[in-house]
Amino acid sequence: LSLAQETYPGDSFSYQAIMDTGVSARYMAQASTSDDDLLDITHGGSVSDQPSNGVDGDMGQPEDIPGLGQYDDFHTIDWQRDIARDRMRHRYIVKKKQESVMDLIKGAHDAWSGWVCVLLVGLTSGVMAGVIDIGATWLTDLKFGICPSAFYLNMEQCCWSSNETVRDISGNCSLWLTWPELIGVERESSGGFFLRYISYVSWALLFAALAASLVRMFAPYACGSGIPEIKTILSGFIIRGYLGKWTFLIKSVAIMLAVASGLSLGKEGPMVHMACCIGNILSYMFPKYGRNEAKKREILSAASAAGVSVAFGAPIGGVLFSLEE
């Protein structure tokens, strides 16, 4: 009403004057809305309600605001909001890199950070798979005996330095000793067979109990293969701790113990879970992915492909698996 009085001075004004003033004010408000205001998206509930800055703001990047873009456990991410935040971040970097050499270097780092992160995920996943494969083989042979000259070698590696050309049916050589032979009992005697059976069962029970205890006490999320949960996370669901460092460490040790115990399971599915743990951990080295849940899914998708690749030796199959998810 006050705006209408200023526009149409006098003691009386018509209803049409009020309507014309309201329409013109609404049109002016819509015309003053810029692209930055449209990108200033807020989301209630599980996400912080703090406002985000535009590119021309003086407070710095949108990621500098505490709590922005953080989601609660067992919530779904807002894809459109995170994509808008990434566009704002990119526009801010493009504008800032023209001001100084340091900002230009930061812009270049942001450009190739995705390739570097994926490369690190692939290399680390390959090292992880090699360590697990070697460790599981060593623990499996530990149920049969040990190499006295080098306890860290499995049966095959222990016999590499042997000059014997003929071995028994189990592949043993003189350098590899079974557990009965360590206490002076002949390998092929009745007592030797009994002791070998007892040692085999004892080591298997110890490995299985230790694997279950580690998972139960330190990382409950390390149980199972993890494939269904990985698909759920890639679809935009938040499960805090499922891709954490403790889950990765405990599952790496527990899968070697479980496979060596002789349980009816494999290490292919857990390798996909552990590769995604590596992708989640390494993504925090790059703010482009560590502070944006939608962008982080790109790294997790590549990590799942790397996990399938190192598990089955099939890189193309890993890519197809990632596309299917």
Side-chain angles (χ1 to χ4, degrees):
L1 294 176
S2 61
L3 182 60
Q5 289 177 352
E6 294 176 0
T7 307
Y8 300 93
D11 296 334
S12 63
F13 48 89
S14 63
Y15 175 77
Q16 184 65 31
I18 298 176
M19 295 302 296
D20 293 342
T21 305
V23 171
S24 61
R26 184 168 63 252
Y27 175 77
M28 293 173 61
Q30 292 178 354
S32 63
T33 303
S34 62
D35 293 338
D36 296 338
D37 297 329
L38 292 177
L39 291 177
D40 188 10
I41 302 173
T42 58
H43 191 282
S46 63
V47 188
S48 174
D49 295 330
Q50 300 184 11
S52 60
N53 290 337
V55 176
D56 299 330
D58 297 332
M59 295 180 62
Q61 299 189 43
E63 289 84 352
D64 295 336
I65 301 177
L68 183 62
Q70 300 298 323
Y71 296 89
D72 294 334
D73 200 6
F74 300 110
H75 283 74
T76 305
I77 68 175
D78 190 339
W79 291 94
Q80 296 298 329
R81 179 180 181 276
D82 285 350
I83 292 173
R85 290 182 61 243
D86 183 68
R87 290 175 180 173
M88 295 171 59
R89 179 199 59 79
H90 180 70
R91 293 174 60 185
Y92 176 85
I93 293 175
V94 170
K95 179 182 177 181
K96 292 289 291 183
K97 71 179 182 180
Q98 301 175 358
E99 299 179 358
S100 64
V101 178
M102 184 58 65
D103 291 326
L104 181 62
I105 296 176
K106 291 181 179 180
H109 170 73
D110 181 78
W112 50 257
S113 61
W115 294 101
V116 174
C117 186
V118 171
L119 176 63
L120 292 177
V121 169
L123 293 176
T124 310
S125 300
V127 173
M128 174 266 301
V131 172
I132 290 177
D133 188 64
I134 294 174
T137 304
W138 179 74
L139 290 175
T140 301
D141 291 342
L142 193 64
K143 296 184 297 184
F144 299 95
I146 194 171
C147 185
S149 59
F151 71 93
Y152 51 85
L153 298 179
N154 56 33
M155 184 186 304
E156 182 181 3
Q157 295 169 345
C158 181
C159 296
W160 280 350
S161 58
S162 176
N163 295 326
E164 301 176 8
T165 58
V166 179
R167 301 176 185 174
D168 59 13
I169 191 173
S170 61
N172 295 328
C173 60
S174 60
L175 297 180
W176 178 267
L177 298 181
T178 60
W179 295 111
E181 291 177 322
L182 290 177
I183 59 177
V185 180
E186 289 293 332
R187 179 186 305 179
E188 302 299 333
S189 62
S190 58
F193 280 112
F194 179 75
L195 291 177
R196 289 167 65 183
Y197 174 77
I198 294 298
S199 63
Y200 183 92
V201 174
S202 300
W203 281 110
L205 291 176
L206 177 63
F207 291 159
L210 186 58
S213 300
L214 288 175
V215 172
R216 181 178 178 82
M217 291 188 297
F218 297 104
Y221 279 152
C223 64
S225 67
I227 298 295
E229 289 81 2
I230 293 300
K231 291 184 177 181
T232 304
I233 292 174
L234 288 178
S235 65
F237 198 70
I238 300 294
I239 306 179
R240 296 295 180 190
Y242 197 81
L243 301 178
K245 56 182 181 300
W246 277 109
T247 302
F248 170 69
L249 293 176
I250 296 301
K251 191 156 192 171
S252 300
V253 177
I255 191 60
M256 292 188 290
L257 295 171
V259 170
S261 66
L263 295 175
S264 180
L265 47 81
K267 53 183 181 293
E268 288 76 15
M271 278 189 179
V272 179
H273 183 191
M274 289 182 286
C276 289
C277 291
I278 293 174
N280 179 67
I281 295 171
L282 294 180
S283 66
Y284 287 100
M285 299 173 56
F286 306 90
K288 177 180 180 180
Y289 300 100
R291 299 179 180 179
N292 194 307
E293 292 292 338
K295 295 291 291 183
K296 186 187 294 184
R297 264 58 186 175
E298 298 177 5
I299 302 299
L300 296 181
S301 179
S304 64
V308 175
S309 177
V310 298
F312 297 98
I316 299 179
V319 174
L320 295 178
F321 175 80
S322 177
L323 293 175
E324 178 187 357
E325 290 184 351

